[in-house]
Amino acid sequence: MAKETKLLEIEVREVAWEGKSFLAYNTFTKNNERLDVRFVKHATAKAPKENCFIEVDTSQMNISRKYRYPRLYIQDIIKVVDRPTSKNDDLPF
């Protein structure tokens, strides 16, 4: 049986709450549904520090819909792919 992987675009932002600072992760589904992304304890070392794409095996992630915004829990990341940066910031017209 072949592994099925997904490429997810992850938005990373720094949040301050009760005097502490931490990173919050978000992504969106094909139906434009916002998902809070959480990494399990042993996957936090691979968690990205800035906006990027991550490749994840579908068997290593699951969605919990019992919260206001559904949460995507990721057990392991295959690889982190940096977002391409545009060197020319001029408008095309």
Side-chain angles (χ1 to χ4, degrees):
M1 182 176 207
K3 284 187 174 181
E4 185 178 338
T5 61
K6 288 201 176 207
L7 190 65
L8 303 171
E9 183 177 10
I10 301 295
E11 173 194 359
V12 181
R13 59 188 164 86
E14 190 171 342
V15 176
W17 186 62
E18 293 185 359
K20 296 180 183 177
S21 173
F22 62 94
L23 296 177
Y25 304 93
N26 293 320
T27 191
F28 290 89
T29 64
K30 291 180 185 177
N31 300 329
N32 205 22
E33 177 185 26
R34 178 183 162 200
L35 296 175
D36 287 337
V37 179
R38 306 287 173 104
F39 297 95
V40 297
K41 189 172 186 176
H42 63 274
T44 55
K46 294 182 181 180
K49 305 293 187 235
E50 57 187 34
N51 296 346
C52 65
F53 294 97
I54 61 172
E55 187 175 350
V56 180
D57 185 7
T58 55
S59 66
Q60 296 293 317
M61 61 184 200
N62 59 11
I63 297 176
S64 174
R65 298 192 179 275
K66 66 180 183 179
Y67 302 99
R68 178 177 180 194
Y69 295 108
R71 292 182 182 174
L72 173 67
Y73 288 97
I74 297 177
Q75 287 83 25
D76 193 23
I77 298 173
I78 296 173
K79 68 178 177 178
V80 176
V81 180
D82 293 331
R83 290 172 60 172
T85 57
S86 173
K87 294 182 181 184
N88 188 1
D89 291 335
D90 293 337
L91 295 175
F93 51 88

